[in-house]
């Protein structure tokens, strides 16, 4: 029984170390995953559309922006385009005219004359713009911010890579917890078997003591007095 007790004590220490390691893996992985997901959510929120006011002018501008975007997406993906439209009213010869100022920003590091000319012609025709009347159209090229930019990196890892790292660490911790639970069940089954064996031996000893009390008393007396059994 001494060797078995030492083994169980060693298992308890090893189990405690493994449990601490698994808990740290899950906590660390969850923290990294949550931080990266939070950064991704903040970035998506900062680049999202602003709320549209309820005044007629803002509604008109929003309607024109959607129309310009629909026209521009025939040439480029919607994710590569940002549109801003401003509308002003001007009086000329006793008539009120709507002046439109349209700005398109394209996600390109370098200007592209073909894209600029195509977009200008398409939007001008689609919105019936007239430069002589005062309408303005500008196409600018500028790379959009990306979640993978170095500004969002930590420890040299982008948020997407940090999410994968956190997911991997958490998965490792979960696998470790499953293995640890399986190992615990095996040791627990062995412990129960030892307890059952000890209980069976005790029951047999009681049965012998009831059937042959004199023999049992002699054996116990020999143990206590140190007399070798014959």
């Amino acid at each position: 029984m001494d060797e078995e007790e030492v083994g169980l004590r060693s298992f308890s220490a090893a189990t405690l170390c493994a449990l601490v390691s698994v808990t740290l893996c899950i906590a660390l992985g969850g923290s990294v995953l949550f931080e990266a997901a939070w950064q991704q959510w903040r970035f998506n929120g900062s680049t999202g559309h602003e709320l549209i006011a309820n005044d007629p002018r803002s509604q008109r501008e929003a309607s024109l922006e959607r129309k310009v975007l629909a026209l521009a997406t025939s040439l480029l993906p919607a994710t590569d385009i940002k549109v801003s439209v401003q509308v002003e009213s001007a009086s000329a010869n006793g008539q009120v005219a709507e002046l439109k100022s349209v700005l398109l920003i394209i996600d390109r590091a370098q200007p592209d004359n073909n894209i600029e000319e195509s977009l200008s012609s398409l939007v001008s025709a689609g919105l019936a713009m007239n430069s002589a009347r005062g309408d303005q159209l500008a196409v600018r090229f500028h790379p959009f911010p990306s979640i993978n930019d170095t500004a969002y990196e930590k420890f040299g890892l982008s948020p997407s890579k940090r999410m994968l790292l956190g997911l991997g660490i958490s998965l490792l911790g979960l696998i470790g917890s499953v293995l640890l639970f399986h190992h615990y069940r095996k040791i627990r089954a062995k412990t129960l078997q030892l307890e059952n064996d000890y209980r069976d031996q005790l029951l047999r000893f009681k049965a012998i003591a009831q059937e042959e009390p004199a023999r049992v008393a002699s054996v116990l007396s020999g143990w206590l007095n140190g007399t070798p059994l014959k």
Side-chain angles (χ1 to χ4, degrees):
M1 291 293 294
D2 293 340
E3 293 181 356
E4 293 175 350
E5 290 178 358
V6 171
L8 292 176
R9 291 176 181 176
S10 300
F11 167 74
S12 299
T15 302
L16 181 60
C17 293
L19 182 61
V20 171
S21 300
V22 166
T23 303
L24 289 177
C25 281
I26 295 176
L28 178 61
S31 299
V32 173
L33 184 61
F34 175 80
E35 184 277 332
W38 172 257
Q39 187 73 49
Q40 180 76 47
W41 180 82
R42 288 186 61 188
F43 176 82
N44 292 338
S46 65
T47 57
H49 296 289
E50 299 293 336
L51 294 177
I52 300 175
N54 293 325
D55 59 283
R57 177 177 172 180
S58 296
Q59 291 178 356
R60 174 60 176 165
E61 291 175 348
S63 176
L64 290 175
E65 286 178 356
R66 289 193 295 269
K67 187 173 182 179
V68 172
L69 185 61
L71 292 170
T73 50
S74 63
L75 298 176
L76 296 170
T79 54
D80 293 349
I81 307 168
K82 288 185 178 180
V83 180
S84 175
V85 177
Q86 292 183 349
V87 176
E88 296 181 0
S89 298
S91 299
N93 300 324
Q95 296 181 350
V96 178
E98 182 183 68
L99 302 182
K100 296 181 285 289
S101 298
V102 180
L103 173 63
L104 289 98
I105 303 177
I106 310 303
D107 186 16
R108 294 286 190 278
Q110 300 295 331
D112 190 319
N113 293 330
N114 293 330
I115 293 179
E116 182 175 357
E117 292 176 0
S118 299
L119 284 175
S120 298
S121 301
L122 190 63
V123 174
S124 296
L127 270 62
M129 299 182 67
N130 187 351
S131 59
R133 183 178 55 199
D135 293 336
Q136 297 179 355
L137 172 62
V139 179
R140 299 289 182 265
F141 295 86
H142 190 278
F144 294 168
S146 171
I147 190 62
N148 294 319
D149 291 344
T150 55
Y152 298 98
E153 288 185 356
K154 288 187 178 180
F155 309 107
L157 298 175
S158 64
S160 58
K161 292 182 179 179
R162 295 203 302 274
M163 289 180 67
L164 292 176
L165 177 62
L167 185 62
I169 296 176
S170 299
L171 184 60
L172 181 63
L174 291 175
I175 294 175
S177 63
V178 171
L179 294 177
L180 182 62
F181 179 72
H182 179 68
H183 190 51
Y184 168 78
R185 290 187 61 184
K186 291 175 61 177
I187 296 299
R188 180 59 180 167
K190 182 178 179 180
T191 302
L192 291 176
Q193 183 63 40
L194 292 175
E195 291 177 355
N196 292 333
D197 292 344
Y198 175 76
R199 191 178 295 108
D200 292 341
Q201 292 177 5
L202 183 61
L203 291 175
R204 286 197 295 269
F205 179 78
K206 288 182 178 180
I208 295 174
Q210 292 176 356
E211 295 175 359
E212 302 180 55
R215 179 183 175 187
V216 172
S218 176
V219 171
L220 293 177
S221 177
W223 284 348
L224 294 176
N225 297 326
T227 303
L229 298 177
K230 298 181 180 179

XYZ file of all heavy atoms in Angstrom, residues 95-182:
665
model
N -34.518 81.425 -60.821
C -34.788 80.007 -60.671
C -33.836 79.402 -59.642
O -32.682 79.821 -59.524
C -34.636 79.268 -62.001
C -35.649 79.694 -63.061
C -35.469 78.917 -64.340
O -34.497 78.194 -64.510
N -36.432 79.074 -65.253
N -34.345 78.433 -58.913
C -33.540 77.742 -57.894
C -32.932 76.496 -58.516
O -33.657 75.636 -59.048
C -34.390 77.375 -56.662
C -33.533 76.619 -55.645
C -34.984 78.625 -56.037
N -31.623 76.402 -58.481
C -30.918 75.250 -59.049
C -30.241 74.456 -57.933
O -29.841 75.006 -56.907
C -29.895 75.710 -60.075
N -30.120 73.164 -58.164
C -29.447 72.278 -57.212
C -28.007 72.069 -57.666
O -27.758 71.512 -58.734
C -30.183 70.942 -57.136
C -29.583 69.972 -56.127
C -30.286 68.625 -56.135
O -30.149 67.904 -57.146
O -30.975 68.299 -55.146
N -27.091 72.496 -56.836
C -25.669 72.324 -57.133
C -25.158 71.096 -56.394
O -25.326 70.981 -55.178
C -24.880 73.563 -56.726
C -25.304 74.891 -57.380
C -24.402 76.018 -56.914
C -25.278 74.764 -58.904
N -24.513 70.220 -57.136
C -24.015 68.966 -56.556
C -22.492 68.947 -56.572
O -21.869 69.273 -57.582
C -24.562 67.765 -57.346
C -26.069 67.615 -57.271
C -26.564 66.425 -58.038
C -26.548 66.667 -59.551
N -27.582 67.623 -59.990
N -21.928 68.557 -55.443
C -20.486 68.356 -55.323
C -20.258 66.898 -54.945
O -20.695 66.445 -53.874
C -19.880 69.277 -54.256
O -20.059 70.637 -54.613
N -19.595 66.174 -55.820
C -19.403 64.733 -55.649
C -17.912 64.446 -55.508
O -17.102 64.913 -56.311
C -19.987 63.944 -56.841
C -19.770 62.442 -56.634
C -21.469 64.262 -57.012
N -17.589 63.654 -54.476
C -16.208 63.225 -54.254
C -16.177 61.709 -54.187
O -16.893 61.096 -53.386
C -15.661 63.813 -52.951
C -14.280 63.302 -52.516
C -13.212 63.687 -53.540
C -13.918 63.822 -51.132
N -15.369 61.113 -55.038
C -15.156 59.668 -55.019
C -13.719 59.391 -54.618
O -12.787 59.955 -55.196
C -15.431 59.042 -56.389
C -16.882 58.988 -56.844
C -17.183 60.154 -57.778
C -17.164 57.669 -57.556
N -13.549 58.544 -53.639
C -12.218 58.125 -53.191
C -12.067 56.646 -53.524
O -12.894 55.821 -53.127
C -12.020 58.364 -51.687
C -12.259 59.834 -51.347
C -10.623 57.934 -51.260
C -12.151 60.139 -49.875
N -11.020 56.331 -54.267
C -10.779 54.967 -54.737
C -9.607 54.376 -53.955
O -8.590 55.039 -53.730
C -10.476 54.946 -56.248
C -11.544 55.740 -57.017
C -10.407 53.522 -56.754
C -12.958 55.263 -56.805
N -9.778 53.132 -53.576
C -8.743 52.431 -52.801
C -7.610 51.994 -53.728
O -7.497 50.831 -54.115
C -9.361 51.222 -52.095
C -8.372 50.542 -51.155
O -7.349 51.169 -50.827
O -8.644 49.394 -50.744
N -6.780 52.961 -54.084
C -5.617 52.704 -54.928
C -4.468 53.565 -54.425
O -4.657 54.727 -54.066
C -5.889 53.041 -56.388
C -6.918 52.174 -57.079
C -6.370 50.780 -57.383
N -7.274 50.040 -58.246
C -8.346 49.388 -57.827
N -8.654 49.419 -56.537
N -9.121 48.730 -58.667
N -3.272 52.993 -54.426
C -2.106 53.762 -53.996
C -1.650 54.736 -55.073
O -1.117 55.805 -54.773
C -0.961 52.814 -53.616
N -1.868 54.364 -56.336
C -1.441 55.205 -57.454
C -2.653 55.603 -58.304
O -3.583 54.822 -58.476
C -0.430 54.448 -58.338
C 0.838 54.026 -57.604
C 1.651 55.216 -57.143
O 1.615 56.284 -57.765
N 2.397 55.045 -56.065
N -2.655 56.828 -58.832
C -3.764 57.253 -59.694
C -3.850 56.405 -60.952
O -2.855 55.904 -61.456
C -3.403 58.713 -60.030
C -2.445 59.143 -58.974
C -1.679 57.910 -58.590
N -5.079 56.262 -61.437
C -5.350 55.514 -62.659
C -6.230 56.384 -63.545
O -7.408 56.599 -63.254
C -6.049 54.187 -62.331
C -6.131 53.261 -63.540
O -6.404 53.764 -64.648
O -5.940 52.043 -63.370
N -5.641 56.887 -64.632
C -6.377 57.806 -65.509
C -7.591 57.146 -66.150
O -8.630 57.793 -66.333
C -5.445 58.361 -66.581
C -4.370 59.260 -66.006
O -4.588 59.911 -64.974
N -3.202 59.293 -66.644
N -7.475 55.891 -66.515
C -8.599 55.201 -67.151
C -9.792 55.111 -66.202
O -10.946 55.365 -66.589
C -8.169 53.802 -67.597
C -7.156 53.845 -68.720
O -7.152 54.778 -69.528
N -6.288 52.838 -68.783
N -9.512 54.720 -64.945
C -10.597 54.634 -63.963
C -11.183 56.014 -63.704
O -12.412 56.174 -63.611
C -10.075 54.004 -62.658
C -9.698 52.537 -62.882
C -11.111 54.121 -61.548
C -9.144 51.848 -61.657
N -10.328 57.021 -63.587
C -10.817 58.377 -63.305
C -11.718 58.878 -64.436
O -12.808 59.428 -64.175
C -9.628 59.317 -63.119
C -10.030 60.740 -62.773
C -8.830 61.610 -62.483
O -7.691 61.098 -62.495
O -9.019 62.824 -62.243
N -11.310 58.704 -65.677
C -12.116 59.165 -66.807
C -13.433 58.394 -66.908
O -14.498 58.985 -67.149
C -11.324 59.018 -68.095
C -10.110 59.961 -68.191
C -9.294 59.716 -69.446
O -9.680 58.818 -70.224
O -8.278 60.411 -69.630
N -13.374 57.091 -66.694
C -14.593 56.279 -66.799
C -15.592 56.659 -65.710
O -16.797 56.809 -65.973
C -14.243 54.795 -66.707
O -13.382 54.411 -67.756
N -15.100 56.816 -64.488
C -15.989 57.177 -63.385
C -16.564 58.575 -63.584
O -17.752 58.811 -63.320
C -15.241 57.101 -62.051
C -14.981 55.705 -61.474
C -14.132 55.803 -60.215
C -16.293 54.995 -61.161
N -15.745 59.496 -64.022
C -16.218 60.867 -64.235
C -17.334 60.902 -65.275
O -18.375 61.549 -65.074
C -15.061 61.761 -64.665
O -14.061 61.825 -63.661
N -17.136 60.203 -66.382
C -18.158 60.186 -67.431
C -19.431 59.503 -66.944
O -20.552 59.991 -67.190
C -17.619 59.470 -68.667
O -16.467 60.101 -69.168
N -19.275 58.387 -66.251
C -20.426 57.607 -65.801
C -21.244 58.380 -64.776
O -22.477 58.465 -64.878
C -19.940 56.280 -65.214
C -21.002 55.218 -64.906
C -21.684 54.784 -66.191
C -20.343 54.020 -64.232
N -20.581 58.968 -63.784
C -21.297 59.683 -62.720
C -21.889 60.985 -63.241
O -23.023 61.351 -62.897
C -20.351 59.937 -61.526
C -21.033 60.806 -60.480
C -19.921 58.611 -60.908
N -21.146 61.683 -64.067
C -21.662 62.945 -64.626
C -22.942 62.708 -65.418
O -23.918 63.464 -65.303
C -20.604 63.602 -65.506
O -19.468 63.966 -64.747
N -22.941 61.662 -66.229
C -24.141 61.358 -67.009
C -25.273 60.855 -66.126
O -26.448 61.215 -66.320
C -23.810 60.329 -68.081
N -24.932 60.027 -65.137
C -25.962 59.452 -64.277
C -26.650 60.474 -63.406
O -27.843 60.340 -63.107
N -25.942 61.505 -62.955
C -26.504 62.539 -62.091
C -26.854 63.814 -62.852
O -27.272 64.792 -62.226
C -25.533 62.882 -60.958
C -25.687 62.068 -59.665
C -25.433 60.587 -59.913
C -24.742 62.594 -58.587
N -26.690 63.782 -64.177
C -26.978 64.969 -65.008
C -26.246 66.194 -64.475
O -26.821 67.278 -64.300
C -28.487 65.218 -65.070
N -24.956 66.020 -64.243
C -24.154 67.112 -63.697
C -23.750 68.075 -64.812
O -23.515 67.681 -65.954
C -22.919 66.554 -62.985
C -23.254 65.643 -61.806
S -21.793 65.037 -60.935
C -21.167 66.554 -60.215
N -23.654 69.361 -64.456
C -23.315 70.415 -65.405
C -22.285 71.320 -64.757
O -22.596 72.066 -63.823
C -24.563 71.204 -65.812
C -24.279 72.201 -66.918
O -23.130 72.441 -67.285
N -25.328 72.804 -67.461
N -21.054 71.242 -65.247
C -19.988 72.060 -64.666
C -20.235 73.550 -64.869
O -19.846 74.384 -64.035
C -18.634 71.662 -65.262
O -18.645 71.825 -66.672
N -20.913 73.912 -65.965
C -21.203 75.323 -66.220
C -22.174 75.881 -65.181
O -22.155 77.070 -64.866
C -21.766 75.490 -67.629
N -23.004 75.004 -64.647
C -23.967 75.427 -63.652
C -23.335 75.531 -62.270
O -23.848 76.191 -61.379
C -25.133 74.442 -63.625
C -26.270 74.784 -62.662
C -27.366 73.748 -62.774
N -26.833 72.397 -62.547
C -27.462 71.285 -62.927
N -28.609 71.357 -63.596
N -26.914 70.110 -62.693
N -22.198 74.859 -62.092
C -21.517 74.898 -60.796
C -21.345 73.544 -60.158
O -20.785 73.437 -59.051
N -21.800 72.465 -60.832
C -21.598 71.117 -60.293
C -20.117 70.754 -60.329
O -19.394 71.123 -61.258
C -22.396 70.096 -61.110
C -23.905 70.279 -60.949
O -24.309 70.851 -59.913
O -24.645 69.875 -61.851
N -19.702 70.006 -59.313
C -18.287 69.625 -59.204
C -18.172 68.120 -58.976
O -18.944 67.538 -58.212
C -17.607 70.379 -58.056
C -17.564 71.888 -58.244
C -16.900 72.586 -57.069
O -16.564 71.954 -56.084
N -16.719 73.896 -57.195
N -17.196 67.530 -59.624
C -16.926 66.106 -59.486
C -15.424 65.906 -59.363
O -14.656 66.406 -60.185
C -17.463 65.318 -60.682
C -17.087 63.824 -60.755
C -17.640 63.072 -59.557
C -17.573 63.206 -62.061
N -15.017 65.179 -58.331
C -13.595 64.911 -58.110
C -13.398 63.436 -57.809
O -14.177 62.830 -57.060
C -13.063 65.762 -56.962
N -12.368 62.866 -58.399
C -11.999 61.470 -58.161
C -10.596 61.461 -57.578
O -9.659 61.998 -58.175
C -12.054 60.635 -59.451
C -11.647 59.189 -59.172
C -13.442 60.687 -60.068
N -10.456 60.893 -56.408
C -9.163 60.843 -55.734
C -8.788 59.391 -55.456
O -9.639 58.537 -55.248
C -9.211 61.625 -54.417
C -9.534 63.107 -54.591
C -8.357 63.829 -55.228
N -8.624 65.269 -55.351
C -9.105 65.844 -56.424
N -9.408 65.093 -57.481
N -9.324 67.142 -56.469
N -7.480 59.158 -55.442
C -6.965 57.809 -55.189
C -6.168 57.817 -53.883
O -5.227 58.601 -53.729
C -6.080 57.343 -56.349
C -6.829 57.191 -57.638
C -7.016 58.264 -58.502
C -7.370 55.957 -57.999
C -7.705 58.117 -59.682
C -8.054 55.799 -59.188
C -8.232 56.883 -60.030
N -6.582 56.952 -52.966
C -5.894 56.872 -51.675
C -6.170 55.499 -51.060
O -7.316 55.055 -51.011
C -6.392 57.969 -50.730
C -5.567 58.108 -49.488
N -5.736 57.291 -48.391
C -4.560 58.965 -49.184
C -4.878 57.633 -47.452
N -4.152 58.648 -47.907
N -5.139 54.801 -50.609
C -5.368 53.472 -50.006
C -6.170 53.581 -48.713
O -5.885 54.442 -47.874
C -3.954 52.934 -49.766
C -3.075 54.144 -49.724
C -3.700 55.153 -50.639
N -7.154 52.737 -48.574
C -7.982 52.729 -47.371
C -7.212 52.074 -46.217
O -6.356 51.209 -46.434
C -9.273 51.952 -47.623
C -10.189 52.604 -48.619
C -11.280 51.912 -49.130
C -9.979 53.900 -49.047
C -12.132 52.503 -50.056
C -10.816 54.508 -49.965
C -11.891 53.803 -50.471
N -7.525 52.469 -44.995
C -6.891 51.784 -43.845
C -7.327 50.331 -43.787
O -8.463 49.985 -44.136
C -7.409 52.584 -42.640
C -8.649 53.257 -43.129
C -8.424 53.540 -44.573
N -6.419 49.485 -43.360
C -6.690 48.042 -43.278
C -6.420 47.544 -41.870
O -5.538 48.060 -41.169
C -5.819 47.284 -44.286
O -5.918 45.882 -44.091
N -7.190 46.556 -41.458
C -6.994 45.968 -40.142
C -5.640 45.291 -40.030
O -5.122 45.065 -38.933
C -8.123 44.956 -39.833
C -8.089 44.503 -38.368
C -8.037 43.770 -40.774
C -8.297 45.609 -37.393
N -5.024 44.978 -41.182
C -3.713 44.333 -41.186
C -2.562 45.333 -41.247
O -1.404 44.932 -41.409
C -3.613 43.363 -42.369
C -4.577 42.199 -42.239
O -4.752 41.647 -41.164
N -5.213 41.826 -43.344
N -2.860 46.637 -41.149
C -1.795 47.636 -41.128
C -0.945 47.477 -39.877
O -1.390 46.962 -38.841
C -2.394 49.047 -41.172
C -3.032 49.345 -42.531
O -2.741 48.602 -43.491
O -3.803 50.313 -42.612
N 0.292 47.955 -39.957
C 1.214 47.823 -38.822
C 0.724 48.577 -37.592
O 1.105 48.248 -36.469
C 2.607 48.341 -39.215
O 2.489 49.703 -39.695
C 3.207 47.486 -40.326
N -0.145 49.571 -37.785
C -0.646 50.340 -36.644
C -1.488 49.476 -35.714
O -1.629 49.794 -34.518
C -1.459 51.531 -37.136
N -2.066 48.405 -36.233
C -2.915 47.535 -35.421
C -2.180 46.275 -34.972
O -2.801 45.393 -34.364
C -4.162 47.136 -36.226
C -5.030 48.303 -36.617
C -4.931 48.875 -37.889
C -5.938 48.854 -35.721
C -5.725 49.955 -38.250
C -6.731 49.936 -36.082
C -6.617 50.473 -37.347
O -7.401 51.539 -37.704
N -0.903 46.187 -35.249
C -0.145 45.003 -34.864
C 0.281 45.076 -33.397
O 0.513 46.156 -32.851
C 1.101 44.848 -35.750
C 0.804 44.427 -37.172
C 2.071 44.173 -37.967
O 3.168 44.404 -37.410
O 1.972 43.751 -39.131
N 0.396 43.918 -32.783
C 0.944 43.768 -31.440
C 1.848 42.546 -31.454
O 1.450 41.481 -31.916
C -0.169 43.608 -30.394
C -0.937 44.886 -30.117
C -1.915 44.703 -28.962
C -2.639 46.007 -28.650
N -3.590 45.836 -27.533
N 3.068 42.753 -30.941
C 4.073 41.690 -30.946
C 4.341 41.200 -32.368
O 4.654 40.022 -32.579
C 3.647 40.517 -30.059
C 3.228 40.910 -28.676
C 1.896 40.887 -28.314
C 4.167 41.328 -27.753
C 1.507 41.250 -27.040
C 3.793 41.693 -26.481
C 2.457 41.655 -26.115
N 4.187 42.112 -33.335
C 4.441 41.763 -34.730
C 3.351 40.941 -35.380
O 3.551 40.409 -36.476
N 2.184 40.836 -34.746
C 1.082 40.031 -35.273
C -0.126 40.916 -35.526
O -0.481 41.745 -34.685
C 0.705 38.918 -34.289
C 1.789 37.879 -33.967
C 1.299 36.921 -32.902
C 2.193 37.117 -35.224
N -0.754 40.733 -36.666
C -1.976 41.455 -36.992
C -3.134 40.870 -36.178
O -3.030 39.764 -35.634
C -2.269 41.336 -38.486
O -2.516 39.985 -38.836
N -4.270 41.590 -36.073
C -5.414 41.058 -35.323
C -5.879 39.698 -35.820
O -6.254 38.835 -35.013
C -6.487 42.139 -35.523
C -5.712 43.393 -35.691
C -4.481 42.998 -36.465
N -5.887 39.494 -37.134
C -6.326 38.194 -37.650
C -5.388 37.070 -37.203
O -5.836 35.974 -36.840
C -6.407 38.235 -39.177
O -5.150 38.588 -39.739
N -4.082 37.345 -37.203
C -3.124 36.337 -36.756
C -3.230 36.123 -35.244
O -3.065 34.996 -34.757
C -1.701 36.744 -37.141
C -1.442 36.712 -38.640
C -0.006 37.076 -38.951
C 0.260 37.016 -40.466
N 1.653 37.388 -40.795
N -3.515 37.203 -34.505
C -3.683 37.058 -33.063
C -4.939 36.251 -32.741
O -4.962 35.485 -31.761
C -3.752 38.427 -32.388
C -2.461 39.219 -32.492
C -2.333 40.262 -31.402
N -3.433 41.211 -31.395
C -3.488 42.320 -32.127
N -2.496 42.591 -32.973
N -4.505 43.142 -32.047
N -5.972 36.418 -33.551
C -7.175 35.611 -33.347
C -6.881 34.129 -33.567
O -7.336 33.271 -32.805
C -8.283 36.082 -34.297
C -8.870 37.441 -33.951
S -10.173 37.970 -35.084
C -11.452 36.775 -34.703
N -6.103 33.823 -34.605
C -5.726 32.432 -34.850
C -4.858 31.887 -33.714
O -5.018 30.735 -33.294
C -4.982 32.327 -36.181
C -5.811 32.590 -37.450
C -4.913 32.535 -38.683
C -6.942 31.582 -37.576
N -3.938 32.740 -33.216
C -3.085 32.315 -32.107
C -3.916 32.043 -30.860
O -3.731 31.023 -30.178
C -2.039 33.391 -31.828
C -1.101 33.131 -30.637
C -0.275 31.874 -30.871
C -0.184 34.326 -30.397
N -4.837 32.958 -30.541
C -5.691 32.762 -29.375
C -6.569 31.532 -29.508
O -6.761 30.777 -28.540
N -7.079 31.300 -30.722
C -7.904 30.121 -30.961
C -7.087 28.846 -30.786
O -7.558 27.860 -30.202
C -8.501 30.186 -32.367
C -9.495 29.085 -32.748
C -10.708 29.136 -31.833
C -9.925 29.243 -34.203
N -5.839 28.874 -31.277
C -4.979 27.699 -31.136
C -4.639 27.398 -29.687
O -4.680 26.241 -29.252
N -4.319 28.448 -28.908
C -3.987 28.248 -27.492
C -5.203 27.732 -26.728
O -5.096 26.829 -25.892
C -3.465 29.552 -26.880
C -2.140 29.964 -27.547
C -3.256 29.400 -25.377
C -1.604 31.295 -27.074
N -6.378 28.309 -27.013
C -7.604 27.860 -26.341
C -7.909 26.408 -26.694
O -8.302 25.614 -25.826
C -8.775 28.753 -26.742
O -8.548 30.096 -26.366
N -7.723 26.060 -27.966
C -7.972 24.684 -28.394
C -7.014 23.718 -27.712
O -7.402 22.617 -27.295
C -7.843 24.577 -29.915
C -8.176 23.217 -30.539
C -9.612 22.827 -30.228
C -7.948 23.241 -32.036
N -5.755 24.140 -27.575
C -4.775 23.309 -26.874
C -5.190 23.091 -25.423
O -5.071 21.979 -24.888
C -3.396 23.984 -26.948
C -2.234 23.236 -26.276
C -1.997 21.904 -26.959
C -0.971 24.083 -26.325
N -5.662 24.157 -24.776
C -6.127 24.025 -23.405
C -7.329 23.103 -23.278
O -7.417 22.302 -22.337
N -8.268 23.179 -24.229
C -9.444 22.312 -24.190
C -9.066 20.847 -24.392
O -9.594 19.959 -23.711
C -10.442 22.752 -25.263
C -11.139 24.093 -25.024
C -12.011 24.451 -26.218
C -11.972 24.051 -23.757
N -8.139 20.613 -25.331
C -7.678 19.230 -25.544
C -6.991 18.700 -24.285
O -7.195 17.552 -23.871
C -6.732 19.165 -26.759
C -7.498 19.487 -28.047
C -6.079 17.789 -26.866
C -6.616 19.568 -29.280
N -6.177 19.559 -23.670
C -5.514 19.149 -22.434
C -6.501 18.838 -21.322
O -6.308 17.889 -20.551
N -7.577 19.631 -21.230
C -8.577 19.386 -20.187
C -9.299 18.063 -20.423
O -9.600 17.334 -19.468
C -9.577 20.544 -20.139
O -10.303 20.630 -21.358
N -9.559 17.730 -21.694
C -10.208 16.450 -22.007
C -9.293 15.283 -21.633
O -9.726 14.300 -21.012
C -10.588 16.389 -23.502
C -11.066 14.987 -23.876
C -11.671 17.411 -23.814
N -8.014 15.390 -21.997
C -7.058 14.326 -21.649
C -6.898 14.206 -20.134
O -6.794 13.098 -19.594
C -5.711 14.617 -22.308
C -5.691 14.570 -23.843
C -4.303 14.954 -24.366
C -6.077 13.181 -24.346
N -6.865 15.348 -19.457
C -6.719 15.333 -18.004
C -7.925 14.680 -17.342
O -7.774 13.889 -16.401
C -6.547 16.769 -17.498
C -6.335 16.942 -15.989
C -5.046 16.252 -15.566
C -6.288 18.419 -15.629
N -9.119 14.978 -17.834
C -10.330 14.365 -17.280
C -10.338 12.858 -17.526
O -10.723 12.070 -16.638
C -11.566 15.013 -17.909
C -12.861 14.433 -17.433
C -13.326 14.682 -16.152
C -13.620 13.626 -18.274
C -14.531 14.139 -15.716
C -14.818 13.078 -17.848
C -15.279 13.337 -16.557
N -9.898 12.449 -18.721
C -9.838 11.013 -19.031
C -8.847 10.311 -18.115
O -9.124 9.207 -17.595
C -9.443 10.827 -20.491
C -9.317 9.398 -20.906
N -10.389 8.536 -21.002
C -8.212 8.666 -21.241
C -9.974 7.335 -21.366
N -8.659 7.388 -21.521
